[in-house]
Amino acid sequence: MAVVLRIHADANGRHETALVSKRIYLSSPDVGPAEEAAVMNAMRSGWIAPVGPDVDAFEASLAERTGRAHAVALSSGTAALHLGLLGIGVRPGSVVLTSTMTFAATANAIVYAGAEPYFIDSLEENGNIDPELLERAIVELHGRGESIGAIVPVDLLGKAADYTAIDAVASAHQVPVLTDAAESLGAAHRGRPAGSYGAAAAVSFNGNKIMTTSGGGALVTDDPDLAARARYLATQARQPVPHYEHTEIGYNYRLSNILAALGRAQLDRLDEMISRRRRIRDQYRNFFAGVPGVRMFGSVGEDDDNCWLTSIIVDPAVSGWVPAELSAHLAEDDIESRPLWKPMHLQPVFSSARVIDTGVSERLFERGLTLPSGSVLRDPDIDRVIGRIDAFLSTAGA
Ligand SMILES: Cc1ncc(COP(=O)(O)O)c(C=O)c1O
């Protein structure tokens, strides 16, 4: 276990020292003096509620960054998915087609809207939704007279999905698209930012994301009515009258002004944080170039990937070892690693859901391993991870 000496001042300015283990996490928040100052300024301004100048300014910057006319800052990416689905007209009983390889929040939001998630398997190269399977599912469902409420493609681990193909399928069959861009802020597809595709997109600022508001999210769209409806539903569906008047069920989903201030400071540093993650990706790529049976997951560092998380795919028949063995070896030195998302159609909670399954996502799940990728990690941290992997490889499969 790695050990470091940590020195900090207590409330009276006395210095204390402590020996603590230095755990290397997959993707921990990267915050510093700029974020601290922004939060303090927001606190001192008196805008502590989920309204205020930082919320307004954060929304304006987010809309600009995602190439959208409107952004609605919310308490989570899950809330953004939920309100996005409601906004594009998903209703109880409709079917929503989505990537099976995703975090549960995507599918959960579909269920919150009363709809049925229908899972589509992945492309081998990057785990994103396979547009050909998507079309096959639409044709089958329409052929049976079933109505499809929406398509929700997910930008897996920060890699933008193939929106050229998805948009062509969606418009040919007239199904609205809500993109789950929770993981892909700062990425792009064919020069257009992640989040700019579809009728609307959901972004997440959870603590492990490329940038964070500790917890938070946003719905971005070009449709003023959709944005206004999301804002209204997010504030308990209050009618614009002085007393509390409600004609329908709403939610408490707005982002606090203090967290929006944190988000503004993070957004200013987004490009710097993406560059740092890209450099970490390059270090892993260089290292694994000569390792048999290992490929880097996803694209090779172009714009379509914000490099949120770096993963490898291991072919055990060639490598002589499986990802779980490497993961256990890293864990012994307090280094976190994790399999790719377990596909939704393999989750007990969705065992009765419909799926078009080719076995790709299941294979990626079995063979994938995500490595520490956070922008907060410095070169010595990455050297430690790579050194540990090197030591593992020298004995693995022997
Ligand atoms: C693909 C995906 N969708 C949705 C979410 C939900 O975002 P949040 O945690 O902000 O609710 C996340 C992340 O947590 C995610 O990774």
Side-chain angles (χ1 to χ4, degrees):
M1 181 178 290
V3 168
V4 293
L5 189 65
R6 179 162 295 162
I7 304 174
H8 70 269
D10 68 13
N12 302 314
R14 284 188 300 262
H15 285 86
E16 296 177 339
T17 57
L19 282 176
V20 289
S21 75
K22 191 170 183 264
R23 180 162 170 76
I24 294 186
Y25 291 96
L26 225 51
S27 179
S28 40
D30 180 357
V31 293
E35 288 80 0
E36 192 178 329
V39 169
M40 283 308 294
N41 285 342
M43 298 268 292
R44 288 177 181 145
S45 75
W47 289 99
I48 314 294
V51 287
D54 287 294
V55 173
D56 298 342
F58 186 43
E59 288 181 338
S61 310
L62 275 174
E64 195 185 335
R65 183 72 205 216
T66 53
R68 292 291 201 173
H70 307 277
V72 182
L74 298 167
S75 54
S76 69
T78 312
L81 286 167
H82 184 191
L83 295 185
L85 288 165
L86 298 181
I88 62 174
V90 169
R91 295 288 169 265
S94 47
V95 179
V96 175
L97 304 174
T98 191
S99 314
T100 191
M101 190 143 227
T102 185
F103 179 55
T106 319
N108 288 346
I110 294 168
V111 177
Y112 301 164
E116 176 200 339
Y118 184 128
F119 300 114
I120 310 289
D121 218 320
S122 313
L123 293 170
E124 184 86 49
E125 74 228 35
N126 61 14
N128 280 333
I129 198 165
D130 181 330
E132 280 181 33
L133 297 180
L134 176 67
E135 180 147 44
R136 205 199 299 166
I138 296 174
V139 169
E140 267 176 39
L141 286 164
H142 280 170
R144 283 201 294 270
E146 292 191 57
S147 88
I148 303 171
I151 301 166
V152 183
V154 179
D155 297 339
L156 188 69
L157 307 187
K159 301 163 215 323
D162 182 356
Y163 289 106
T164 307
I166 293 166
D167 278 0
V169 171
S171 56
H173 298 277
Q174 298 187 314
V175 184
V177 174
L178 170 70
T179 70
D180 184 340
E183 302 175 355
S184 60
L185 187 67
H189 171 72
R190 303 225 167 146
R192 262 179 64 186
S196 70
Y197 286 90
V203 183
S204 167
F205 308 120
N206 190 288
N208 65 358
K209 292 294 184 289
I210 194 106
M211 61 160 271
T212 187
T213 58
S214 119
L219 185 70
V220 295
T221 180
D222 294 322
D223 179 344
D225 297 335
L226 202 156
R229 174 115 187 114
R231 230 175 233 119
Y232 158 79
L233 287 177
T235 43
Q236 303 285 21
R238 275 181 66 186
Q239 292 296 317
V241 290
H243 61 276
Y244 287 89
E245 178 87 3
H246 307 271
T247 56
E248 57 189 320
I249 299 296
Y251 307 89
N252 183 7
Y253 277 172
R254 281 296 256 163
L255 186 73
S256 98
N257 191 65
I258 294 174
L259 298 187
L262 173 54
R264 289 180 71 191
Q266 285 267 279
L267 196 54
D268 284 346
R269 293 186 47 234
L270 179 63
D271 289 323
E272 166 205 326
M273 293 191 289
I274 292 174
S275 301
R276 175 72 198 138
R277 287 186 191 249
R278 203 175 294 289
R279 183 175 146 74
I280 292 171
R281 168 83 50 95
D282 289 343
Q283 284 168 290
Y284 285 127
R285 182 182 294 111
N286 291 341
F287 174 78
F288 282 111
V291 178
V294 177
R295 76 168 165 97
M296 301 299 291
F297 183 49
S299 56
V300 279
E302 296 87 352
D303 278 2
D304 65 338
D305 189 343
N306 65 4
C307 296
W308 174 50
L309 293 180
T310 291
S311 311
I312 52 170
I313 305 293
V314 181
D315 180 352
V318 180
S319 63
W321 50 273
V322 295
E325 291 171 304
L326 172 57
S327 182
H329 186 81
L330 291 172
E332 278 169 25
D333 192 31
D334 229 359
I335 297 171
E336 187 183 19
S337 60
R338 200 172 51 197
L340 303 183
W341 298 129
K342 181 174 180 177
M344 287 302 113
H345 71 277
L346 301 177
Q347 297 285 357
V349 68
F350 293 116
S351 59
S352 58
R354 290 187 279 178
V355 58
I356 292 202
D357 165 22
T358 56
V360 170
S361 59
E362 188 166 353
R363 189 163 56 246
L364 291 173
F365 172 58
E366 282 164 6
R367 295 184 170 190
L369 190 69
T370 300
L371 300 168
S373 313
S375 50
V376 79
L377 296 172
R378 310 301 357 139
D379 282 350
D381 300 313
I382 299 302
D383 290 347
R384 189 175 131 207
V385 178
I386 288 180
R388 187 81 189 162
I389 299 172
D390 204 21
F392 168 79
L393 291 175
S394 63
T395 55

